[in-house]
Amino acid sequence: MSLFNYAVAKTIMHVPKPIVSYFAKGYIAGSTLADAVQVSKDLNRQGMMTTIDILGEFITQFDQAIEFKNQALEILRTIDREKLNGNLSIKPTQMGLLLDPERCFELIHELVSEAKKLGSFVRIDMEDVGTTDATLEMFDKLRWEFPGHVGTVLQSYLRRTPQDIANHADGYQNYRLCKGIYVEPRIHAWKNTQAINGNFSNCLAQMLEQGAYAAIATHDEFLVFEAMHLVRKMNLTADQYEFQMLLGVDEELREIILAGGHRLRIYVPYGRDWLPYSRRRLKENPSIAQHALKQMLGI
Ligand code: FAD
């Protein structure tokens, strides 16, 4: 990590709560599921799909995992009842992965079973590299039992990702591909931007050639351009992949993707546990803190 990035990473953790809160408004649907439903309906009306995520991660008591699982069940049932064009995203550490991996698997199994019953889908987000093996193991078990109803995430900053794609070449495969958001040691992760981007494009080609469904999750215009070129070259139809973006980021790019005839899904987080999520977003893009501060101060 460069000295500058190190300084930014340290400082962001101490950005005052009101500034983080101000910044968080555009990135988070609100504090309740009703807020996420409203935002999803608006996005659906504008031709976008959504994936709803309840904020919370790295829990410390297994009771919290059960509570999160119950809330996630409620999301699936609400999506069905409200006829939203959306699905569910969950985090393994929110379901107790670091406390009890077997019970965590049982909770996620229950969610994916419910998704199957409702004709829906659960995306298992990828967290830091300490959880990659366990997350992929859970996905590997679930993909045979629930093809079409479960997927996970692979990160192009990890050097292991091409091997992970190759390891799952048989049977049903469904990945969100993103750059990766955690600060990982260089032994595991590319640090050079071009290496991360090159790995992104190569991994996307590898997974599509292997027959995977790919959710292309990036706001990087060059990677979007490369992905559009690739899907055209491979003659894929629009239902064989999708683009994904975070709520509140680059609405112009949304329009460009939709105008190209591609499907786009927006990640819609909600909940009271917005502080760690927002700090991560700020750490990733510190210029946002500056814009938020300027707007607050009217300068
Ligand atoms: P960048 O080079 O970071 O960004 C490209 C441009 O987009 C920047 O110039 C900037 O203007 C803009 N931009 C990017 N991010 C933001 C932002 N937060 N706010 C404002 N502008 C921004 N990571 C994981 O590790 N695990 C996951 O499960 C995961 N799920 C994700 C789901 C979705 C739908 C998306 C879109 C991202 C997800 N990520 C996840 C985060 C991802 O790994 C990246 O950290 C993040 O998307 C930024 O990378 P980028 O590809 O957009 O490229």
Side-chain angles (χ1 to χ4, degrees), residues 131-149:
T131 66
T132 308
D133 279 330
T135 303
L136 287 177
E137 271 167 38
M138 290 195 292
F139 170 64
D140 200 29
K141 284 193 241 169
L142 292 164
R143 75 188 176 118
W144 295 104
E145 192 177 351
F146 302 106
H149 300 285

Side-chain angles (χ1 to χ4, degrees), residues 78-90:
T78 304
I79 288 171
D80 182 61
R81 199 173 50 246
E82 299 282 341
K83 299 190 177 23
L84 300 180
N85 189 351
N87 62 33
L88 170 71
S89 284
I90 54 163

Side-chain angles (χ1 to χ4, degrees), residues 11 26 31 47 49 61 77 88 90 122 124 148 166 171 185 217-218 221 259 274:
T11 314
S31 55
M49 310 177 286
Q61 310 275 331
R77 290 170 186 154
L88 170 71
I90 54 163
V122 179
I124 307 172
T218 182
E221 188 173 311
W274 51 267

Side-chain angles (χ1 to χ4, degrees), residues 74-118:
E74 189 50 32
I75 296 174
L76 283 171
R77 290 170 186 154
T78 304
I79 288 171
D80 182 61
R81 199 173 50 246
E82 299 282 341
K83 299 190 177 23
L84 300 180
N85 189 351
N87 62 33
L88 170 71
S89 284
I90 54 163
K91 292 201 165 34
T93 65
Q94 173 185 69
M95 299 291 156
L97 181 70
L98 299 180
L99 302 177
D100 187 335
E102 278 174 32
R103 284 177 77 197
C104 169
F105 178 74
E106 282 166 22
L107 298 188
I108 295 181
H109 187 276
E110 188 182 337
L111 287 172
V112 183
S113 304
E114 183 70 9
K116 183 180 176 190
K117 212 158 60 183
L118 297 170

Side-chain angles (χ1 to χ4, degrees), residues 200-269:
F200 190 102
S201 297
N202 291 345
C203 287
L204 180 61
Q206 185 187 352
M207 58 178 67
L208 288 173
E209 278 158 16
Q210 240 176 241
Y213 181 89
I216 307 156
T218 182
H219 320 94
D220 186 323
E221 188 173 311
F222 182 68
L223 292 182
V224 169
F225 160 80
E226 290 231 300
M228 286 178 173
H229 178 70
L230 180 68
V231 298
R232 200 168 44 240
K233 205 170 76 180
M234 291 180 73
N235 273 324
L236 298 185
T237 52
D239 58 354
Q240 289 176 286
Y241 64 92
E242 67 190 51
F243 284 90
Q244 293 194 350
M245 292 175 64
L246 299 171
L247 186 67
V249 179
D250 202 342
E251 299 198 2
E252 258 177 15
L253 186 60
R254 284 183 188 175
E255 297 304 321
I256 291 166
I257 291 171
L258 291 173
H262 308 279
R263 297 192 308 161
L264 175 62
R265 188 180 300 277
I266 304 295
Y267 192 94
V268 177

Side-chain angles (χ1 to χ4, degrees), residues 23 27 51 91 124-127 153 155 157 176 178-182 193 197 200 217-221 223 244-246 248-250 265-267 281-282 284-285 288:
F23 143 86
Y27 293 86
T51 186
K91 292 201 165 34
I124 307 172
D125 285 359
M126 189 58 79
E127 300 177 88
V153 179
Q155 299 149 322
Y157 64 19
R176 173 194 296 150
C178 62
K179 289 187 185 177
I181 204 174
Y182 300 85
T193 306
N197 288 0
F200 190 102
T218 182
H219 320 94
D220 186 323
E221 188 173 311
L223 292 182
Q244 293 194 350
M245 292 175 64
L246 299 171
V249 179
D250 202 342
R265 188 180 300 277
I266 304 295
Y267 192 94
R281 296 264 97 84
L282 272 171
E284 186 189 4
N285 200 341
I288 295 164

